[in-house]
Amino acid sequence: MKNIAYYNGRVAPLDEMMVPMNDRACYFGDGVYDATCAVNHVPMAFDDHIDRIYRSAKLIDIDIPMEKDEMKRMLMSLIEQVEGDCLFVYWQVTRGVGMRSHAYSGAQSKPSIWAFVRPCSMRDPYGAYRCITMDDTRFLHCNIKTINLLPAVIANQRAEEAGCDETIFHRGDRVTECSHSNVHIIKDGVLRTAPCDNLILPGITRAHILNICAKAGIPVVEEPFTLEEMMAADEVFFSSSSALTCRVREIDGKPVGMKDEATFARIRDAYQQELRAECGLA
Ligand code: PLP
């Protein structure tokens, strides 16, 4: 199949899947999601993504009506039915279907489980990317991977309009993360990345990068950095499950980073190698 969608046990091609209007996703964005890429039909860091959606759901009082193993089997069966070397695997859990009402102690179905799988292509890991910056006007629960994504949608649109690849958010001077990735800097051989508080999503790629640094002896500081520090860094890069590690060469039209390829390349290459091994390509 070219792509596939799942909704509460029903399976259909993605553009034919119908969902009930009263699913609380439609009115409130009342749900959480996760996503990864499957290379060679192997979803990357699968257990980490499965664990994170259960954590996100718990943080907003959603009790996922499916065990983790069953969710993995359901997603694997979708992945196996779609053709392609690289697939985008997306799934979400919403609070369920019921008459529109903000509070959720009233009548509604059990939480709804949605998923789709479609072909994708990953960014060139050897490329150098351009970003813009924007005020981070999101809420204060960015650690929850909720489907409420309006500020991220607008931010990404602004990047696209500027001919750029990603938008880097900041609260005042403090850099937080990007519209759909985490951002890191390297200065004097040290990797610096924002701490996992309520202002950023705890990225799974970020966690893998920190492990790689620990193994490679690259020092890591999990502390916030400022816009000024970012502009003066030796390297700036963003990371996510679909972008992996993307080196940044320009922010707001000004050249940045590109001064410590050796350290960046150690991280990028180790991560590429890890993923190739995981997906049976090594
Ligand atoms: N930060 C935000 C806001 C995101 O939306 C994402 C990915 O979707 C990330 C960071 C990166 O997370 P991961 O590495 O788990 O894909």
Tab-separated table of all heavy atoms in Angstrom, residues 33 35 49 52 138 145 177-182 201-206 239-242, ligand 1:
chain	number	residue	atom	x	y	z
A	33	TYR	N	0.523	12.906	21.031
A	33	TYR	CA	0.957	12.130	19.870
A	33	TYR	C	2.409	11.740	20.025
A	33	TYR	O	3.116	12.224	20.919
A	33	TYR	CB	0.759	12.925	18.579
A	33	TYR	CG	1.766	14.026	18.325
A	33	TYR	CD1	2.767	13.878	17.364
A	33	TYR	CD2	1.720	15.220	19.041
A	33	TYR	CE1	3.687	14.890	17.113
A	33	TYR	CE2	2.645	16.229	18.798
A	33	TYR	CZ	3.618	16.064	17.838
A	33	TYR	OH	4.537	17.056	17.603
A	35	ALA	N	5.780	10.282	17.149
A	35	ALA	CA	6.118	10.023	15.747
A	35	ALA	C	7.564	9.599	15.645
A	35	ALA	O	8.407	10.047	16.422
A	35	ALA	CB	5.895	11.288	14.921
A	49	HIS	N	9.738	5.968	21.965
A	49	HIS	CA	8.563	6.732	21.520
A	49	HIS	C	7.278	6.192	22.159
A	49	HIS	O	6.389	6.960	22.528
A	49	HIS	CB	8.456	6.708	19.987
A	49	HIS	CG	9.494	7.546	19.321
A	49	HIS	ND1	9.349	8.894	19.121
A	49	HIS	CD2	10.718	7.236	18.832
A	49	HIS	CE1	10.438	9.383	18.531
A	49	HIS	NE2	11.288	8.384	18.342
A	52	ARG	N	7.180	7.406	25.649
A	52	ARG	CA	6.879	8.836	25.771
A	52	ARG	C	5.394	9.115	25.589
A	52	ARG	O	4.827	9.961	26.285
A	52	ARG	CB	7.710	9.659	24.781
A	52	ARG	CG	7.505	11.166	25.004
A	52	ARG	CD	8.480	12.020	24.223
A	52	ARG	NE	8.338	11.830	22.788
A	52	ARG	CZ	9.142	12.376	21.883
A	52	ARG	NH1	10.148	13.140	22.255
A	52	ARG	NH2	8.943	12.153	20.591
A	138	ARG	N	4.405	29.744	23.055
A	138	ARG	CA	3.657	28.529	23.401
A	138	ARG	C	3.322	28.530	24.893
A	138	ARG	O	3.814	29.361	25.648
A	138	ARG	CB	4.486	27.294	23.042
A	138	ARG	CG	4.829	27.233	21.564
A	138	ARG	CD	5.784	26.096	21.264
A	138	ARG	NE	6.989	26.194	22.067
A	138	ARG	CZ	7.848	25.208	22.249
A	138	ARG	NH1	7.627	24.043	21.694
A	138	ARG	NH2	8.927	25.377	22.992
A	145	LYS	N	3.774	16.151	24.803
A	145	LYS	CA	3.705	16.152	23.332
A	145	LYS	C	2.231	16.178	22.910
A	145	LYS	O	1.663	15.178	22.469
A	145	LYS	CB	4.455	14.936	22.780
A	145	LYS	CG	4.902	15.126	21.331
A	145	LYS	CD	5.960	14.118	20.969
A	145	LYS	CE	6.255	14.049	19.489
A	145	LYS	NZ	6.734	15.275	18.878
A	177	GLU	N	13.675	25.784	22.169
A	177	GLU	CA	13.827	24.696	21.189
A	177	GLU	C	13.306	25.207	19.865
A	177	GLU	O	13.146	26.416	19.684
A	177	GLU	CB	13.087	23.436	21.667
A	177	GLU	CG	11.602	23.658	21.889
A	177	GLU	CD	10.854	22.403	22.306
A	177	GLU	OE1	11.332	21.296	22.068
A	177	GLU	OE2	9.743	22.558	22.853
A	178	CYS	N	13.022	24.314	18.929
A	178	CYS	CA	12.541	24.766	17.613
A	178	CYS	C	11.076	24.374	17.446
A	178	CYS	O	10.487	23.752	18.328
A	178	CYS	CB	13.362	24.134	16.506
A	178	CYS	SG	15.113	24.506	16.601
A	179	SER	N	10.499	24.726	16.295
A	179	SER	CA	9.074	24.456	16.097
A	179	SER	C	8.786	22.961	16.152
A	179	SER	O	7.741	22.546	16.631
A	179	SER	CB	8.577	25.052	14.778
A	179	SER	OG	9.058	24.323	13.674
A	180	HIS	N	9.701	22.129	15.651
A	180	HIS	CA	9.505	20.682	15.801
A	180	HIS	C	10.834	19.937	15.908
A	180	HIS	O	10.997	18.850	15.357
A	180	HIS	CB	8.583	20.098	14.717
A	180	HIS	CG	9.021	20.330	13.297
A	180	HIS	ND1	9.396	21.536	12.801
A	180	HIS	CD2	9.104	19.471	12.265
A	180	HIS	CE1	9.696	21.419	11.527
A	180	HIS	NE2	9.540	20.169	11.180
A	181	SER	N	11.734	20.538	16.661
A	181	SER	CA	13.011	19.869	16.945
A	181	SER	C	13.661	20.547	18.155
A	181	SER	O	13.225	21.620	18.577
A	181	SER	CB	13.938	19.935	15.724
A	181	SER	OG	14.083	21.253	15.270
A	182	ASN	N	14.666	19.909	18.708
A	182	ASN	CA	15.466	20.529	19.774
A	182	ASN	C	16.673	21.205	19.132
A	182	ASN	O	17.074	20.846	18.025
A	182	ASN	CB	15.952	19.458	20.767
A	182	ASN	CG	14.819	18.835	21.559
A	182	ASN	OD1	14.518	17.651	21.410
A	182	ASN	ND2	14.173	19.614	22.402
A	201	LEU	N	10.353	20.004	24.769
A	201	LEU	CA	9.982	18.601	24.685
A	201	LEU	C	11.245	17.763	24.923
A	201	LEU	O	12.288	18.049	24.310
A	201	LEU	CB	9.426	18.285	23.290
A	201	LEU	CG	9.001	16.824	23.155
A	201	LEU	CD1	7.632	16.617	23.783
A	201	LEU	CD2	8.990	16.379	21.712
A	202	PRO	N	11.168	16.761	25.799
A	202	PRO	CA	12.346	15.894	25.969
A	202	PRO	C	12.520	15.025	24.715
A	202	PRO	O	11.944	13.946	24.605
A	202	PRO	CB	12.012	15.074	27.212
A	202	PRO	CG	10.525	15.122	27.334
A	202	PRO	CD	10.041	16.372	26.650
A	203	GLY	N	13.289	15.525	23.786
A	203	GLY	CA	13.448	14.846	22.494
A	203	GLY	C	14.166	13.517	22.660
A	203	GLY	O	15.121	13.402	23.437
A	204	ILE	N	13.710	12.545	21.906
A	204	ILE	CA	14.352	11.231	21.961
A	204	ILE	C	15.694	11.292	21.237
A	204	ILE	O	16.684	10.713	21.684
A	204	ILE	CB	13.378	10.180	21.418
A	204	ILE	CG1	12.355	9.937	22.544
A	204	ILE	CG2	14.076	8.886	21.021
A	204	ILE	CD1	11.077	9.350	22.149
A	205	THR	N	15.749	12.053	20.173
A	205	THR	CA	17.033	12.231	19.477
A	205	THR	C	18.015	12.947	20.411
A	205	THR	O	19.189	12.576	20.493
A	205	THR	CB	16.821	13.054	18.190
A	205	THR	OG1	15.637	12.584	17.558
A	205	THR	CG2	17.987	12.928	17.249
A	206	ARG	N	17.508	13.959	21.119
A	206	ARG	CA	18.350	14.676	22.100
A	206	ARG	C	18.950	13.688	23.102
A	206	ARG	O	20.152	13.721	23.391
A	206	ARG	CB	17.489	15.725	22.825
A	206	ARG	CG	18.174	16.473	23.951
A	206	ARG	CD	17.148	17.302	24.734
A	206	ARG	NE	17.737	18.004	25.860
A	206	ARG	CZ	18.068	17.435	27.020
A	206	ARG	NH1	17.866	16.129	27.206
A	206	ARG	NH2	18.607	18.150	27.993
A	239	SER	N	17.777	18.845	16.181
A	239	SER	CA	17.638	17.385	16.118
A	239	SER	C	16.186	16.964	16.312
A	239	SER	O	15.456	17.584	17.086
A	239	SER	CB	18.489	16.734	17.211
A	239	SER	OG	17.954	17.015	18.486
A	240	SER	N	15.803	15.933	15.577
A	240	SER	CA	14.492	15.315	15.800
A	240	SER	C	14.505	13.945	15.139
A	240	SER	O	15.443	13.615	14.399
A	240	SER	CB	13.363	16.158	15.191
A	240	SER	OG	13.374	16.005	13.796
A	241	SER	N	13.445	13.190	15.370
A	241	SER	CA	13.390	11.835	14.834
A	241	SER	C	13.319	11.829	13.317
A	241	SER	O	13.684	10.833	12.691
A	241	SER	CB	12.173	11.111	15.389
A	241	SER	OG	12.265	11.094	16.782
A	242	SER	N	12.826	12.892	12.699
A	242	SER	CA	12.796	12.880	11.232
A	242	SER	C	13.932	13.707	10.632
A	242	SER	O	14.329	13.462	9.502
A	242	SER	CB	11.444	13.366	10.709
A	242	SER	OG	11.124	14.601	11.285
B	1	PLP	N1	10.768	19.594	20.140
B	1	PLP	C1	9.562	19.668	19.554
B	1	PLP	C2	8.690	20.840	19.843
B	1	PLP	C3	9.137	18.660	18.670
B	1	PLP	O1	7.927	18.736	18.095
B	1	PLP	C4	10.019	17.575	18.403
B	1	PLP	C5	9.618	16.496	17.503
B	1	PLP	O2	8.526	16.400	17.040
B	1	PLP	C6	11.266	17.554	19.037
B	1	PLP	C7	11.601	18.579	19.908
B	1	PLP	C8	12.238	16.439	18.783
B	1	PLP	O3	11.827	15.262	19.422
B	1	PLP	P1	12.285	13.819	18.934
B	1	PLP	O4	13.777	13.844	18.894
B	1	PLP	O5	11.768	12.914	19.981
B	1	PLP	O6	11.680	13.592	17.598
